[in-house]
């Protein structure tokens, strides 16, 4: 919708709140939109009823749109709660008078359902009030039903006009129900969506390392437990460590060290198989889990990774430098527990460190 269009201006005016504190802008917008729909509905009914030539029916039909127009205009001057209450009373009165004048067969009684939905959506909490209101509407509907079956309508309409009014009333009843349900369910869905997104962010924060964006140690242990408990294919696990990382921090500063950690993490994500589980195990250590790869296949993937990392060049400020990693790789034997596997991978990493670094020990 264009900002300067007529429809945009109308919509902004409908949604304009009352300017009072602690009042729902959504509720006053719904009140006004529902009042407008009732205004249009009563105008159409006024034109149809005028065909009967009945003076009393015409007076009542003309009074209806005037009533709803007054409610709409006054909603800009009253509080939201006052507008809400007056609209409910007007719809109740208007429904009862229509049934009194024209009888049960025009279908106007179903506006009581609109009021029920309106109250349940619009009022936050206040459950006892909602239940009492629902019971009152139910009793009123029963009373009107039995009243109509024992009393003749004041104005007898022919069958054709009764059918037309039944159709018009049904349309506006569904329109009003859809309007109330849509506007308030949209808010609920937006809130639910925000809550889901917020929970997703919290879950991500709880499961990932802040600096690198990789999974953290806690999430890794959960993944390993689930993976090994349902293992139906080969699994390989690797613990790798940046060689001489303390020297990088001491020589070039911790900011450069952070860049190294993030760059290596990005390289892991780009160069390893897509289903590899990559985590920051702690400090300069990383844990890589290869589901569905045996040791030889994982070793091949690691060798490609090793070469890519060796080709990286980092800016240390006064000089460029390169780094390397050492890798300790084990293959799951279907009976060792997590502690045993991690200890074995760590021992192989230590062997690699002792034998020159920048190598894969399997």
């Amino acid at each position: 919708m264009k900002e300067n269009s007529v429809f945009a201006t109308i919509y902004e005016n409908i949604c304009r709140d009352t300017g009072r504190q602690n009042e729902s802008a959504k509720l006053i917008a719904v009140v006004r939109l529902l009042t407008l729909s009732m205004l249009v509905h009563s105008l159409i009914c006024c034109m149809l009823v005028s065909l009967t030539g009945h003076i009393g029916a015409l007076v009542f039909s003309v009074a209806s749109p005037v009533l709803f127009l007054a409610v709409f205009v006054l909603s800009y001057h009253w509080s939201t709660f006052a507008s809400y209450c007056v609209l409910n009373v007007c719809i109740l009165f208007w429904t009862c008078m229509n049934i009194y004048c024209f009888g049960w067969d025009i279908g106007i009684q179903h506006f009581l359902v609109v009021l029920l939905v309106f109250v349940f959506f619009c009022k936050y909490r206040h459950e006892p009030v909602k239940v009492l209101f629902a019971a009152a509407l139910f009793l009123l509907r029963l009373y009107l039903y039995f009243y109509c079956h024992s009393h003749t309508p004041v104005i007898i309409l022919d069958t054709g006009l009764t059918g037309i009014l039944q159709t018009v009333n049904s349309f506006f009843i569904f329109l009003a129900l859809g309007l109330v349900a849509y506007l308030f369910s949209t808010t609920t869905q937006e809130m639910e969506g925000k809550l889901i997104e917020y929970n997703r962010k919290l879950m991500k924060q709880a499961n990932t390392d802040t600096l690198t964006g990789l999974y953290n140690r806690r999430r890794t242990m959960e993944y390993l437990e689930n993976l090994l408990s349902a293992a139906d294919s080969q699994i390989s696990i690797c613990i790798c460590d940046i060689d001489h990382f303390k020297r990088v921090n001491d020589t070039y500063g911790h900011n450069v060290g952070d860049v190294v950690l993030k760059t290596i993490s990005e390289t892991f994500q780009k160069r390893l198989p897509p289903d590899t589980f990559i985590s920051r195990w702690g400090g300069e250590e990383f844990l890589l889990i290869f589901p569905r790869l045996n040791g030889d296949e994982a070793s091949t993937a690691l060798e490609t990774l090793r070469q890519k990392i060796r080709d990286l060049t980092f800016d240390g400020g006064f000089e460029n430098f390169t780094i390397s990693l050492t890798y300790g790789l084990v293959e799951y034997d279907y009976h060792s527990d997590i502690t045993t596997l991690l200890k074995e991978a760590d021992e192989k990493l230590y062997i690699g460190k002792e034998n020159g670094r920048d190598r894969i020990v399997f």
Side-chain angles (χ1 to χ4, degrees):
M1 185 181 295
K2 295 181 179 180
E3 293 185 0
N4 297 324
S5 70
V6 175
F7 292 108
T9 303
I10 294 173
Y11 181 76
E12 288 174 2
N13 285 327
I14 290 174
C15 294
R16 193 178 73 206
D17 63 30
T18 60
R20 299 169 186 256
Q21 292 183 347
N22 302 320
E23 290 196 332
S24 170
K26 174 71 74 175
L27 176 55
I28 194 61
V30 175
V31 167
R32 288 174 184 150
L33 287 171
L34 185 56
T35 305
L36 282 177
S37 71
M38 297 300 298
L39 173 61
V40 174
H41 178 213
S42 58
L43 283 171
I44 294 174
C45 290
C46 180
M47 291 186 290
L48 292 172
V49 171
S50 65
L51 300 175
T52 64
H54 193 287
I55 300 300
L58 187 58
V59 170
F60 170 70
S61 298
V62 170
S64 297
V66 173
L67 176 67
F68 289 115
L69 179 60
V71 173
F72 180 79
V73 172
L74 290 173
S75 71
Y76 289 91
H77 304 280
W78 291 341
S79 68
T80 298
F81 181 72
S83 301
Y84 162 79
C85 291
V86 169
L87 178 60
N88 275 278
V89 171
C90 288
I91 293 176
L92 271 174
F93 173 76
W94 176 79
T95 301
C96 293
M97 288 302 299
N98 267 279
I99 293 175
Y100 173 75
C101 291
F102 306 114
W104 190 261
D105 293 339
I106 63 172
I108 203 74
Q109 65 275 7
H110 299 303
F111 270 101
L112 298 179
V113 179
V114 175
L115 285 181
L116 179 65
V117 174
F118 187 40
V119 168
F120 269 80
F121 268 112
C122 293
K123 294 302 291 177
Y124 176 63
R125 296 179 177 171
H126 304 291
E127 282 76 13
V129 176
K130 293 179 181 179
V131 172
L132 288 174
F133 188 78
L137 287 179
F138 171 71
L139 293 175
L140 176 62
R141 192 180 188 281
L142 281 182
Y143 169 77
L144 292 173
Y145 174 79
F146 288 112
Y147 174 86
C148 289
H149 280 71
S150 59
H151 295 76
T152 303
V154 174
I155 302 164
I156 306 297
L157 302 176
D158 62 58
T159 305
L161 185 55
T162 299
I164 294 173
L165 285 173
Q166 173 74 242
T167 303
V168 171
N169 289 333
S170 297
F171 172 80
F172 278 93
I173 287 165
F174 274 85
L175 175 65
L177 284 172
L179 182 68
V180 173
Y182 171 76
L183 290 174
F184 280 98
S185 65
T186 299
T187 301
T188 303
Q189 290 166 357
E190 287 176 356
M191 292 176 64
E192 184 179 3
K194 290 178 180 178
L195 182 60
I196 291 172
E197 179 64 18
Y198 179 67
N199 287 336
R200 187 191 66 79
K201 289 180 179 178
L202 287 180
M203 185 66 71
K204 183 177 180 181
Q205 290 174 0
N207 290 333
T208 58
D209 172 63
T210 305
L211 177 65
T212 62
L214 301 179
Y215 291 113
N216 58 22
R217 195 182 190 103
R218 187 184 71 83
R219 177 67 185 103
T220 303
M221 292 302 293
E222 290 178 355
Y223 177 80
L224 265 177
E225 289 174 2
N226 294 331
L227 185 66
L228 298 184
S229 65
D232 57 359
S233 61
Q234 293 172 310
I235 301 168
S236 297
I237 300 171
C238 170
I239 296 180
C240 52
D241 179 275
I242 302 175
D243 298 329
H244 303 298
F245 187 67
K246 184 178 183 303
R247 186 186 302 168
V248 172
N249 281 329
D250 292 343
T251 306
Y252 306 107
H254 289 278
N255 289 337
V256 174
D258 289 347
V259 171
V260 170
L261 289 169
K262 288 190 283 188
T263 304
I264 289 175
S265 301
E266 293 169 359
T267 305
F268 285 158
Q269 294 169 322
K270 291 177 182 178
R271 300 300 178 179
L272 289 172
D275 58 350
T276 305
F277 187 94
I278 309 167
S279 69
R280 186 179 179 189
W281 194 236
E284 65 270 28
E285 277 192 342
F286 300 88
L287 183 69
L288 311 176
I289 304 171
F290 301 90
R292 292 179 293 278
L293 292 187
N294 60 33
D296 292 331
E297 293 167 333
S299 181
T300 300
L302 288 173
E303 180 58 31
T304 302
L305 174 69
R306 190 184 71 84
Q307 294 294 336
K308 292 294 181 182
I309 289 178
R310 289 291 291 136
D311 292 339
L312 295 174
T313 301
F314 297 91
D315 182 5
F318 55 88
E319 65 176 351
N320 293 336
F321 65 95
T322 60
I323 55 97
S324 63
L325 275 73
T326 303
Y327 309 81
L329 176 65
V330 297
E331 181 181 310
Y332 180 49
D333 55 10
Y334 295 96
H335 62 78
S336 297
D337 59 20
I338 295 176
T339 303
T340 302
L341 288 171
L342 294 177
K343 182 180 179 182
E344 185 179 348
D346 199 51
E347 288 173 350
K348 291 187 176 182
L349 172 64
Y350 181 76
I351 293 172
K353 293 285 188 181
E354 290 293 307
N355 286 275
R357 296 181 169 81
D358 189 22
R359 64 191 65 225
I360 301 166
V361 178
F362 171 49

